[in-house]
Amino acid sequence: MTGMIIEGKTAKWEIVCGLEIHCQIISKSKMFSGASTHYGSDANENVSFIDAGMPGMLPTLNEQCVRQAIKTGLGLNAKINKYSEFARKNYFYADLPQGYQISQFKYPIVGEGFVKIDLEDGSSKNIGIERLHIEQDAGKSIHDISPTKSFIDLNRAGVGLMEIVTKPDFRSPEEAGAFLRELRSIVRYLGTCDGNMDEGSMRCDVNVSVRKVGEEGFRTRNEMKNVNSVKFVMQAIESEARRHVETYENGGTIEQETRQFDPATGKTKVMRKKEFAHDYRYFPEPDLLPLVLDDAMIEEIKAEMVELPDAKKARFVHDLGLTPYDASVLCESRETAEWFEKAAYGHDAKKVANWMMGDFFAMLNEKKITLEESPISPENLGKLVDLITSNVINGKTAKDVFEIMAETGDSPDKIVEERGLKQVTDTAAIEAVIDEVIAANPDNVAAYRGGKVALMGWFVGQVMKASKGKANPGMVNELLKKKLS
Ligand code: ADP
Ligand code: MG
């Protein structure tokens, strides 16, 4: 059981949470018009008559958006519905010039599925997917340019979205966080959404309720709209759940409403009472035919699927002997996973993983560079590990060689060769150094022989220093013990 339990005065409570995630579809043009989806254009630069809701304009469905939704559905282990329909969701808002949003309601393009999440304690859990449907995005109202006027930017109006709805399966903030990270890496692997929550291309609505441990059924939920980071989603779940528990424990009731999470206070506050679904007066979109998919198209998309993070993780654990945790860190981004694979196959993969997650990531951070800009190639990291496992250099020298690789981009063999860094594994040579150290420190030798065995570490240090770090530490230990006893 990985759920979070909240202790009340009278009972133990558990969290119930479901997420609705809007993912902006990666495609060159909008869902129902040919206007560009380019992010960062000047305001209202990418607006066709269709996006502006001009009378008499007719939408044309962008096939690329449909393909992206199918691909994502397959990535969510979900049922692809060969028949789906578009529906009008009617509401008035200044940034929605049509007066309605084209969405899907009764018949979404993707049905039930699941996503497997891996938790820190080593357990894993499947989170149910209720559905995925496609719809168009609205424009953006801008209130912070003038104190007296509001402005509208319609560049985003009509951009394709996938709304992914989960079952109320989350029992803790950690589970929701793990799910969002997993979903983000799935859509990034697939190239269907860039997953950037801070740019708004992935937006999350968070539904929360609580119930007594052991209670059947669910209680009334509240929804927090557009929470824009994984951390805030997790905070919003916890603070909202605690508010529910407190309310119930004090004899109060929770009413269904839409709330807003305020990162500054870490608390939620009421935005509006929830409109019921029928207020949108959904009806089938008369300007678009039902969407009917054929098997050939679905098969074609299946054939284009890349290996997803979950399968990659399993392979890293099974074939390369990584721990599930290390595998999930390395698989979070496809680029990282592919870099690791190049470095690891044919070498000691666990050592490569340790170097990559330790010194290598630290080096990228310090230099503020990306993986592609790394001066160290995956092949060279693999070779460095080989030099260690075959005892050509010791661990300490390896750190120095790594530093030089990060500066010069040279191969570790070349560095070791040119700078004479090969480890000394010649018994006679090491013994000679030990003899010198023993001769130079009669007092410590006497103390050691007199029972101060902790001095062993000091002796090892002296010998390593005298060999300029090149002696094999295991051999130094062994030979020292013999000579000192
Ligand atoms: P609506 O039709 O009002 O949008 P849905 O049934 O589609 O409601 O659910 C919306 C989201 O709320 C889903 O992610 C679902 O998992 C979640 N949800 C539903 N009921 C609860 C509940 N009692 N507590 C927490 N989350 C819930
Ligand atoms: Mg809904």
Side-chain angles (χ1 to χ4, degrees):
M1 165 109 190
T2 59
M4 177 177 180
I5 302 296
I6 300 175
E7 300 269 353
K9 286 184 295 251
T10 65
K12 288 183 172 171
W13 300 83
E14 71 172 355
I15 294 177
V16 176
C17 167
L19 301 176
E20 294 163 283
I21 302 112
H22 287 94
C23 296
Q24 223 171 69
I25 298 172
I26 294 179
S27 77
K28 289 211 172 72
S29 51
K30 296 184 179 179
M31 180 118 88
F32 300 113
S33 82
S36 165
T37 56
H38 182 252
Y39 180 82
S41 298
D42 282 344
N44 297 305
E45 201 179 321
N46 306 325
V47 186
S48 75
F49 287 141
I50 296 170
D51 311 319
M54 290 294 162
M57 292 296 117
L58 288 173
T60 313
L61 181 58
N62 177 347
E63 183 181 326
Q64 174 65 6
C65 292
V66 174
R67 286 178 171 266
Q68 295 284 61
I70 296 170
K71 197 178 251 186
T72 307
L74 293 171
L76 303 176
N77 306 298
K79 178 168 181 288
I80 307 302
N81 292 325
K82 288 202 273 179
Y83 180 94
S84 68
E85 278 183 10
F86 291 98
R88 277 192 190 181
K89 183 177 181 179
N90 299 283
Y91 64 96
F92 173 79
Y93 205 78
D95 59 24
L96 186 78
Q98 290 172 146
Y100 58 84
Q101 178 189 26
I102 303 179
S103 180
Q104 295 189 305
F105 186 54
K106 265 193 194 153
Y107 302 98
I109 184 166
V110 175
E112 293 187 328
F114 69 89
V115 170
K116 181 168 162 260
I117 55 169
D118 294 309
L119 298 156
E120 244 177 67
D121 66 358
S123 67
S124 55
K125 173 174 176 176
N126 285 347
I127 299 298
I129 299 294
E130 176 76 38
R131 60 190 270 156
L132 174 156
H133 65 255
I134 48 180
E135 59 188 23
Q136 48 177 188
D137 208 344
K140 228 161 66 182
S141 302
I142 302 160
H143 306 293
D144 56 6
I145 294 180
S146 153
T148 53
K149 294 188 183 105
S150 284
F151 294 85
I152 306 284
D153 177 4
L154 291 180
N155 280 348
R156 213 177 59 187
V159 168
L161 296 177
M162 303 179 276
E163 177 172 341
I164 297 166
V165 182
T166 77
K167 309 243 181 209
D169 282 351
F170 302 105
R171 293 292 172 271
S172 70
E174 287 66 36
E175 290 178 4
F179 173 82
L180 283 173
R181 282 192 297 270
E182 184 67 25
L183 177 65
R184 185 166 59 191
S185 82
I186 291 171
V187 293
R188 283 179 175 168
Y189 268 62
L190 291 173
T192 56
C193 168
D194 68 29
N196 294 333
M197 290 187 87
D198 49 355
E199 284 176 9
S201 42
M202 196 165 131
R203 311 195 283 270
C204 188
D205 299 342
V206 184
N207 298 274
V208 174
S209 67
V210 299
R211 63 179 176 185
K212 288 183 182 166
V213 172
E215 187 175 300
E216 294 279 323
F218 297 133
R219 298 195 180 201
T220 304
R221 71 174 191 270
N222 282 153
E223 181 175 14
M224 273 85 51
K225 287 268 186 209
N226 285 330
V227 188
N228 67 1
S229 81
V230 174
K231 192 175 124 204
F232 293 157
V233 168
M234 292 170 66
Q235 287 176 357
I237 294 169
E238 180 161 356
S239 87
E240 184 62 9
R242 290 193 183 281
R243 193 181 68 83
H244 285 215
V245 168
E246 205 175 302
T247 305
Y248 290 131
E249 290 274 356
N250 292 324
T253 52
I254 293 288
E255 274 183 72
Q256 187 164 341
E257 54 194 20
T258 303
R259 300 178 68 86
Q260 198 168 31
F261 175 71
D262 180 0
T265 61
K267 295 221 155 40
T268 67
K269 58 174 192 262
V270 67
M271 244 167 90
R272 59 185 141 90
K273 302 280 167 197
K274 169 105 183 166
E275 356 44 343
F276 293 98
H278 60 250
D279 277 352
Y280 289 124
R281 292 170 199 278
Y282 277 102
F283 61 82
E285 168 59 53
D287 291 340
L288 289 163
L289 288 168
L291 178 54
V292 180
L293 306 173
D294 58 20
D295 290 319
M297 183 180 184
I298 298 173
E299 287 309 314
E300 204 180 293
I301 295 168
K302 267 188 194 156
E304 290 169 6
M305 298 286 286
V306 295
E307 183 184 35
L308 288 173
D310 208 38
K312 234 189 225 316
K313 256 185 256 174
R315 191 158 56 78
F316 285 2
V317 170
H318 187 264
D319 292 5
L320 299 177
L322 298 198
T323 64
Y325 178 77
D326 287 357
S328 64
V329 171
L330 291 169
C331 288
E332 198 160 315
S333 105
R334 188 171 154 190
E335 290 71 30
T336 307
E338 286 174 355
W339 202 101
F340 167 73
E341 268 183 88
K342 277 196 212 137
Y345 268 90
H347 308 278
D348 183 331
K350 268 169 128 166
K351 279 213 175 77
V352 172
N354 287 340
W355 274 92
M356 198 168 163
M357 292 189 298
D359 297 60
F360 182 77
F361 283 161
M363 181 271 295
L364 294 184
N365 268 337
E366 195 192 313
K367 289 186 185 289
K368 297 192 172 58
I369 54 173
T370 64
L371 204 58
E372 295 86 74
E373 295 161 345
S374 163
I376 300 178
S377 68
E379 290 75 17
N380 280 342
L381 187 64
K383 279 189 199 158
L384 177 66
V385 166
D386 281 353
L387 292 177
I388 306 165
T389 44
S390 60
N391 271 324
V392 175
I393 56 176
N394 62 38
K396 196 196 152 290
T397 307
K399 295 252 179 201
D400 298 338
V401 173
F402 181 87
E403 297 271 304
I404 301 167
M405 289 166 75
E407 288 316 311
T408 62
D410 283 345
S411 88
D413 315 278
K414 183 173 170 228
I415 295 167
V416 168
E417 200 53 55
E418 279 181 3
R419 307 192 183 214
L421 296 173
K422 269 199 186 123
Q423 160 162 258
V424 179
T425 52
D426 171 0
T427 311
I430 295 177
E431 277 180 335
V433 179
I434 291 177
D435 289 342
E436 274 171 40
V437 170
I438 287 180
N441 299 283
D443 294 353
N444 277 343
V445 172
Y448 178 88
R449 288 186 175 144
K452 224 175 149 193
V453 289
L455 276 170
M456 190 59 176
W458 181 85
F459 276 110
V460 172
Q462 293 302 303
V463 174
M464 290 305 290
K465 209 164 123 194
S467 77
K468 300 202 174 61
K470 290 190 288 184
N472 175 308
M475 291 177 70
V476 170
N477 258 296
E478 221 170 87
L479 294 170
L480 257 174
K481 261 190 207 131
K482 250 192 240 159
K483 296 231 170 207
L484 283 173
S485 61

